[in-house]
């Protein structure tokens, strides 16, 4: 997932500058579009790791302190470094108020929105622990999927029902726009042995659904983003691909545990350990180049 995020942003210049009717545009858009499984995958893994059974559960205050040290403080440092760099090259004029606003909105770099949404999930940790323990995923996750679609695609329209002149451009920052991925991870972690068995039993279905929805997502994305066709259903297709791909990748990882741990590869082990720092700083490196 970490490497896929880097891959997405390496391709961004080509995607934004190529002729949208050219075959070259399709050639870079399709792998970038499919690589978008990475950030929902991060949400899924975060929820899964939160609810995995532990012999000695971590007290809530210690959990929050640990998240502040390992997640929030590195983000604030990265945001400061990005901002000072942008000031140095003339993109911004230095303003503490602007820095705080951009940091709170995660708008200093393309990948920071994930952290703003993840912090909201962390603050609501007791709620998600209770939901995953109390309710059956068969009932819980379809409702979460509906909330996710409403929030990510239609929240501004919903708000305009009550405030007609309102404009809300921050749907991508709200935890509700990623609810199904995080909550699915919570449900999987709290029932981990059953979850792995379920994946193994349904491995062929996961392969076919990933192939089908991934192909549909790729084809319709090219048609829609090139302006050839209007596809208001594209984000639903994209969600179905992402859900299928996350579960398929989890199943493959469970089948090849040693490879996933970087066994025998110092490079893979180092990438795994540094994945959060890579996530934070790779866009700065791309910008410099």
């Amino acid at each position: 997932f970490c490497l896929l995020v880097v891959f997405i942003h390496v391709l961004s210049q080509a995607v934004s500058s190529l002729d949208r009717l050219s075959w070259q545009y399709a050639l870079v858009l399709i792998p970038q579009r499919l690589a978008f499984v990475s950030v929902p995958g991060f949400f899924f893994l975060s929820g899964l790791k939160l609810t995995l059974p532990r012999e000695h559960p971590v007290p809530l205050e210690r959990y929050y302190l640990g998240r502040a040290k390992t997640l929030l403080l590195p983000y604030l440092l990265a945001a400061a470094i990005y901002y000072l760099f942008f000031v140095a090259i003339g993109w911004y004029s230095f303003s503490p108020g602007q820095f705080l606003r951009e940091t709170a909105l995660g708008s200093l770099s393309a990948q920071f929105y994930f952290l703003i949404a993840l912090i909201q999930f962390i603050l609501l940790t007791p709620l998600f622990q209770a939901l995953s323990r109390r309710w059956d995923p068969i009932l819980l996750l379809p409702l979460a999927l509906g909330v996710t679609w409403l929030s990510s695609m239609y929240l501004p329209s919903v708000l305009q029902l009550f405030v007609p002149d309102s404009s809300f451009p921050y749907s991508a920052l709200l935890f509700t726009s990623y609810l199904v991925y995080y909550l699915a991870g919570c449900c999987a972690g709290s029932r981990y042995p059953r979850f792995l068995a379920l994946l193994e039993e349904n491995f062929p279905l996961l392969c076919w659904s990933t192939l089908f929805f991934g192909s549909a997502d790729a084809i319709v994305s090219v048609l829609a983003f090139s302006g050839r066709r209007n596809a208001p259903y594209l984000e639903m297709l994209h969600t179905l691909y992402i859900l299928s791909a996350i579960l398929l990748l989890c199943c493959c990882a469970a089948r090849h545990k040693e490879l996933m741990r970087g066994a025998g590869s110092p490079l893979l082990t180092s990438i795994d350990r540094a994945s959060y720092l890579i996530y934070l700083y790779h866009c700065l490196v791309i910008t410099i180049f």
Side-chain angles (χ1 to χ4, degrees), residues 76-126:
L76 294 177
L77 176 61
I81 291 172
Y82 273 79
Y83 186 73
L84 291 175
F85 173 74
F86 294 152
V87 169
I89 64 174
W91 286 10
Y92 290 126
S93 297
F94 183 78
S95 165
Q98 181 189 47
F99 167 69
L100 292 174
R101 183 175 62 255
E102 301 281 350
T103 301
L105 293 175
S107 53
L108 284 167
S109 189
Q111 77 281 26
F112 286 170
Y113 75 95
F114 161 73
L115 300 166
I116 305 305
L118 183 59
I119 289 168
Q120 296 167 55
F121 280 118
I122 290 170
L123 292 174
L124 294 170
T125 288

Coordinates of all heavy atoms in Angstrom, one line a residue, residues 76-126:
L76 N 2.7 16.7 12.1 CA 2.9 18.1 12.4 C 4.3 18.5 11.9 O 4.5 19.6 11.3 CB 2.7 18.4 13.8 CG 1.3 18.2 14.4 CD1 1.2 18.5 15.9 CD2 0.3 19.1 13.6
L77 N 5.3 17.7 12.2 CA 6.7 18.0 11.8 C 6.8 18.0 10.2 O 7.4 18.9 9.7 CB 7.7 17.0 12.3 CG 9.1 17.1 11.9 CD1 9.7 18.5 12.3 CD2 10.0 16.0 12.4
A78 N 6.2 17.0 9.6 CA 6.2 17.0 8.1 C 5.5 18.2 7.5 O 5.9 18.8 6.6 CB 5.5 15.7 7.6
A79 N 4.3 18.5 8.1 CA 3.6 19.7 7.6 C 4.4 21.0 7.7 O 4.4 21.8 6.8 CB 2.3 19.9 8.4
A80 N 5.2 21.1 8.8 CA 6.0 22.3 9.0 C 7.1 22.3 8.0 O 7.5 23.4 7.4 CB 6.6 22.3 10.4
I81 N 7.7 21.1 7.7 CA 8.8 21.1 6.7 C 8.3 21.4 5.3 O 8.9 22.2 4.6 CB 9.5 19.7 6.7 CG1 10.2 19.5 8.1 CG2 10.4 19.5 5.6 CD1 10.8 18.1 8.3
Y82 N 7.1 20.8 4.9 CA 6.5 21.1 3.6 C 6.2 22.6 3.5 O 6.6 23.3 2.5 CB 5.2 20.4 3.5 CG 5.3 19.0 2.9 CD1 5.7 17.9 3.7 CD2 5.0 18.7 1.6 CE1 5.7 16.6 3.2 CE2 5.0 17.4 1.1 CZ 5.4 16.4 1.9 OH 5.5 15.1 1.4
Y83 N 5.7 23.2 4.6 CA 5.3 24.6 4.5 C 6.5 25.5 4.4 O 6.5 26.4 3.6 CB 4.5 25.0 5.8 CG 3.9 26.4 5.7 CD1 2.9 26.7 4.9 CD2 4.5 27.4 6.5 CE1 2.3 28.0 4.8 CE2 4.0 28.7 6.4 CZ 2.9 29.0 5.6 OH 2.4 30.3 5.5
L84 N 7.5 25.2 5.2 CA 8.8 26.1 5.1 C 9.4 25.9 3.7 O 9.9 26.9 3.1 CB 9.7 25.7 6.2 CG 9.3 26.0 7.6 CD1 10.3 25.5 8.6 CD2 9.2 27.5 7.8
F85 N 9.4 24.7 3.1 CA 9.9 24.6 1.8 C 9.1 25.4 0.8 O 9.7 26.0 -0.1 CB 9.9 23.1 1.4 CG 10.3 22.8 0.0 CD1 11.6 22.9 -0.5 CD2 9.3 22.5 -1.0 CE1 11.9 22.7 -1.8 CE2 9.6 22.3 -2.3 CZ 10.9 22.4 -2.7
F86 N 7.8 25.3 0.9 CA 6.9 26.1 -0.1 C 7.1 27.6 0.1 O 7.1 28.3 -0.9 CB 5.4 25.7 0.1 CG 5.1 24.3 -0.2 CD1 4.1 23.6 0.4 CD2 5.8 23.6 -1.2 CE1 3.8 22.3 0.1 CE2 5.6 22.3 -1.5 CZ 4.5 21.6 -0.9
V87 N 7.3 28.1 1.3 CA 7.7 29.5 1.6 C 9.0 29.8 0.9 O 9.1 30.8 0.2 CB 7.7 29.8 3.1 CG1 8.3 31.2 3.3 CG2 6.3 29.7 3.7
A88 N 10.0 28.9 1.1 CA 11.3 29.2 0.5 C 11.3 29.3 -1.0 O 12.1 30.0 -1.6 CB 12.3 28.1 1.0
I89 N 10.4 28.5 -1.7 CA 10.4 28.6 -3.2 C 9.4 29.5 -3.7 O 9.2 29.6 -4.9 CB 10.2 27.2 -3.8 CG1 8.8 26.6 -3.4 CG2 11.3 26.2 -3.4 CD1 8.5 25.3 -4.1
G90 N 8.7 30.3 -2.8 CA 7.8 31.3 -3.2 C 6.4 31.0 -3.4 O 5.6 31.8 -3.9
W91 N 6.0 29.7 -3.1 CA 4.6 29.3 -3.2 C 3.7 30.0 -2.2 O 2.5 30.2 -2.5 CB 4.5 27.8 -3.2 CG 5.0 27.1 -4.4 CD1 5.7 27.6 -5.4 CD2 4.8 25.7 -4.7 NE1 6.0 26.7 -6.3 CE2 5.5 25.5 -5.9 CE3 4.2 24.6 -4.0 CZ2 5.5 24.2 -6.5 CZ3 4.3 23.4 -4.7 CH2 4.9 23.2 -5.9
Y92 N 4.2 30.2 -1.0 CA 3.5 30.9 0.1 C 4.3 32.0 0.6 O 5.5 32.0 0.5 CB 3.2 29.9 1.2 CG 2.2 28.8 0.9 CD1 2.6 27.4 1.2 CD2 0.9 29.0 0.5 CE1 1.7 26.4 0.9 CE2 0.0 28.0 0.2 CZ 0.4 26.7 0.4 OH -0.4 25.6 0.2
S93 N 3.5 33.0 1.2 CA 4.2 34.0 2.1 C 3.9 33.5 3.5 O 2.8 33.1 3.9 CB 3.5 35.4 1.8 OG 3.8 35.8 0.5
F94 N 5.0 33.6 4.3 CA 4.9 33.0 5.7 C 3.8 33.6 6.5 O 3.7 34.8 6.6 CB 6.2 33.1 6.4 CG 6.2 32.5 7.7 CD1 6.3 31.1 7.9 CD2 6.0 33.2 8.9 CE1 6.3 30.5 9.1 CE2 5.9 32.6 10.1 CZ 6.1 31.2 10.2
S95 N 2.9 32.7 7.0 CA 1.8 33.2 7.9 C 1.4 32.0 8.8 O 1.0 30.9 8.3 CB 0.6 33.5 7.0 OG -0.6 33.6 7.8
P96 N 1.6 32.2 10.1 CA 1.3 31.1 11.1 C -0.2 30.7 10.9 O -0.5 29.5 11.0 CB 1.5 31.8 12.4 CG 2.5 32.8 12.2 CD 2.2 33.4 10.8
G97 N -1.1 31.7 10.7 CA -2.5 31.3 10.6 C -2.7 30.4 9.3 O -3.5 29.5 9.4
Q98 N -2.1 30.8 8.3 CA -2.2 29.9 7.0 C -1.7 28.5 7.3 O -2.3 27.5 6.9 CB -1.5 30.6 5.9 CG -1.6 29.8 4.6 CD -0.7 30.4 3.5 OE1 0.5 30.7 3.7 NE2 -1.2 30.6 2.3
F99 N -0.5 28.5 8.0 CA 0.1 27.1 8.2 C -0.9 26.3 9.1 O -1.1 25.1 8.8 CB 1.4 27.3 9.0 CG 1.9 26.0 9.6 CD1 2.4 25.0 8.8 CD2 1.9 25.8 11.0 CE1 2.8 23.8 9.3 CE2 2.4 24.7 11.5 CZ 2.8 23.6 10.7
L100 N -1.5 26.9 10.1 CA -2.4 26.1 10.9 C -3.6 25.7 10.2 O -4.1 24.5 10.3 CB -2.8 26.9 12.2 CG -1.7 27.2 13.2 CD1 -2.2 28.2 14.3 CD2 -1.2 25.9 13.8
R101 N -4.1 26.5 9.3 CA -5.3 26.2 8.5 C -5.0 25.1 7.5 O -5.8 24.1 7.4 CB -5.8 27.4 7.8 CG -7.1 27.2 7.0 CD -7.6 28.5 6.4 NE -6.7 29.1 5.5 CZ -6.0 30.2 5.7 NH1 -6.1 30.8 6.9 NH2 -5.2 30.7 4.8
E102 N -3.9 25.2 6.8 CA -3.5 24.2 5.8 C -3.2 22.8 6.5 O -3.6 21.8 6.0 CB -2.3 24.7 5.0 CG -2.5 26.0 4.3 CD -3.3 25.8 3.0 OE1 -3.5 24.6 2.6 OE2 -3.6 26.8 2.4
T103 N -2.6 22.9 7.7 CA -2.3 21.7 8.4 C -3.6 21.0 8.9 O -3.8 19.8 8.8 CB -1.4 22.0 9.6 OG1 -0.2 22.6 9.1 CG2 -1.1 20.7 10.3
A104 N -4.5 21.8 9.4 CA -5.8 21.2 9.9 C -6.6 20.6 8.7 O -7.4 19.6 8.9 CB -6.6 22.3 10.6
L105 N -6.5 21.2 7.5 CA -7.3 20.7 6.4 C -6.5 19.6 5.6 O -7.0 19.1 4.6 CB -7.6 21.9 5.5 CG -8.6 22.9 6.0 CD1 -8.8 24.0 5.0 CD2 -10.0 22.2 6.3
G106 N -5.2 19.4 6.0 CA -4.5 18.4 5.3 C -4.2 18.8 3.8 O -4.0 17.9 3.0
S107 N -4.1 20.1 3.5 CA -4.0 20.5 2.1 C -2.6 20.9 1.7 O -2.5 21.4 0.6 CB -5.0 21.7 1.9 OG -4.8 22.7 2.9
L108 N -1.6 20.7 2.6 CA -0.3 21.1 2.2 C 0.3 20.1 1.2 O 1.2 20.4 0.4 CB 0.6 21.1 3.4 CG 0.5 22.4 4.2 CD1 1.2 22.2 5.6 CD2 1.0 23.6 3.5
S109 N -0.2 18.8 1.2 CA 0.2 17.8 0.2 C -0.9 16.9 0.0 O -1.8 16.7 0.8 CB 1.4 17.1 0.8 OG 2.0 16.2 -0.2
A110 N -0.9 16.2 -1.2 CA -2.0 15.5 -1.7 C -2.4 14.3 -0.8 O -3.6 13.9 -0.7 CB -1.7 14.9 -3.1
Q111 N -1.5 13.7 -0.1 CA -1.7 12.5 0.7 C -2.2 12.8 2.2 O -2.6 11.9 2.9 CB -0.5 11.6 0.8 CG 0.6 12.0 1.7 CD 1.5 13.1 1.1 OE1 1.1 13.9 0.3 NE2 2.7 13.1 1.6
F112 N -2.1 14.1 2.6 CA -2.4 14.4 4.0 C -3.8 14.3 4.4 O -4.1 14.2 5.6 CB -1.9 15.8 4.3 CG -0.4 15.9 4.4 CD1 0.2 17.2 4.5 CD2 0.4 14.8 4.4 CE1 1.6 17.3 4.6 CE2 1.8 14.9 4.5 CZ 2.4 16.2 4.6
Y113 N -4.8 14.3 3.4 CA -6.2 14.2 3.8 C -6.4 12.9 4.6 O -7.3 12.8 5.4 CB -7.1 14.2 2.5 CG -7.0 12.9 1.7 CD1 -8.0 11.9 1.9 CD2 -6.0 12.7 0.8 CE1 -8.0 10.8 1.2 CE2 -6.0 11.5 0.0 CZ -7.0 10.6 0.3 OH -6.9 9.4 -0.5
F114 N -5.7 11.8 4.2 CA -5.8 10.5 4.9 C -5.6 10.7 6.4 O -6.4 10.1 7.2 CB -4.8 9.5 4.3 CG -4.6 8.3 5.2 CD1 -5.5 7.3 5.4 CD2 -3.4 8.2 5.9 CE1 -5.3 6.2 6.2 CE2 -3.1 7.1 6.7 CZ -4.1 6.1 6.8
L115 N -4.7 11.5 6.8 CA -4.3 11.6 8.2 C -5.4 12.4 9.0 O -5.7 12.0 10.1 CB -3.0 12.3 8.4 CG -1.8 11.6 7.7 CD1 -0.6 12.5 7.6 CD2 -1.5 10.4 8.5
I116 N -6.0 13.4 8.3 CA -7.1 14.1 9.0 C -8.3 13.2 9.2 O -8.9 13.2 10.3 CB -7.5 15.3 8.1 CG1 -6.3 16.2 7.7 CG2 -8.6 16.1 8.8 CD1 -5.6 16.7 8.9
A117 N -8.6 12.3 8.3 CA -9.7 11.4 8.5 C -9.4 10.3 9.5 O -10.2 9.9 10.4 CB -10.1 10.7 7.2
L118 N -8.1 9.9 9.5 CA -7.7 8.8 10.4 C -7.7 9.3 11.9 O -8.1 8.6 12.8 CB -6.3 8.3 10.0 CG -5.7 7.2 10.9 CD1 -6.7 5.9 10.8 CD2 -4.3 6.8 10.4
I119 N -7.3 10.6 12.1 CA -7.4 11.1 13.4 C -8.8 11.1 13.9 O -9.0 10.9 15.1 CB -6.8 12.6 13.4 CG1 -5.3 12.5 13.2 CG2 -7.1 13.3 14.7 CD1 -4.6 13.8 12.9
Q120 N -9.8 11.4 13.1 CA -11.2 11.3 13.5 C -11.6 9.9 14.0 O -12.2 9.7 15.0 CB -12.1 11.8 12.4 CG -11.9 13.3 12.0 CD -12.6 13.6 10.7 OE1 -13.8 13.4 10.5 NE2 -11.8 14.1 9.8
F121 N -11.1 8.9 13.2 CA -11.4 7.5 13.6 C -10.7 7.2 14.9 O -11.4 6.5 15.8 CB -10.8 6.6 12.5 CG -11.7 6.4 11.3 CD1 -11.3 6.7 10.1 CD2 -13.0 5.9 11.4 CE1 -12.1 6.6 8.9 CE2 -13.8 5.7 10.3 CZ -13.4 6.1 9.1
I122 N -9.5 7.7 15.1 CA -8.8 7.4 16.4 C -9.6 8.1 17.6 O -9.7 7.4 18.6 CB -7.4 7.9 16.3 CG1 -6.6 7.1 15.3 CG2 -6.7 7.9 17.7 CD1 -5.2 7.6 15.0
L123 N -10.0 9.3 17.4 CA -10.8 9.9 18.5 C -12.1 9.2 18.8 O -12.5 9.2 20.0 CB -11.1 11.4 18.1 CG -9.9 12.3 17.9 CD1 -10.4 13.7 17.4 CD2 -9.2 12.5 19.3
L124 N -12.6 8.5 17.8 CA -13.9 7.7 18.0 C -13.6 6.2 18.3 O -14.5 5.4 18.2 CB -14.8 7.8 16.8 CG -15.3 9.2 16.5 CD1 -16.0 9.3 15.2 CD2 -16.3 9.7 17.6
T125 N -12.4 5.9 18.8 CA -12.0 4.5 19.0 C -13.0 3.7 19.9 O -13.4 2.6 19.5 CB -10.6 4.5 19.7 OG1 -9.6 4.8 18.6 CG2 -10.2 3.1 20.2
P126 N -13.4 4.3 21.0 CA -14.4 3.5 21.8 C -15.7 3.1 21.1 O -16.2 2.0 21.3 CB -14.7 4.4 23.0 CG -13.5 5.3 23.1 CD -13.1 5.5 21.7

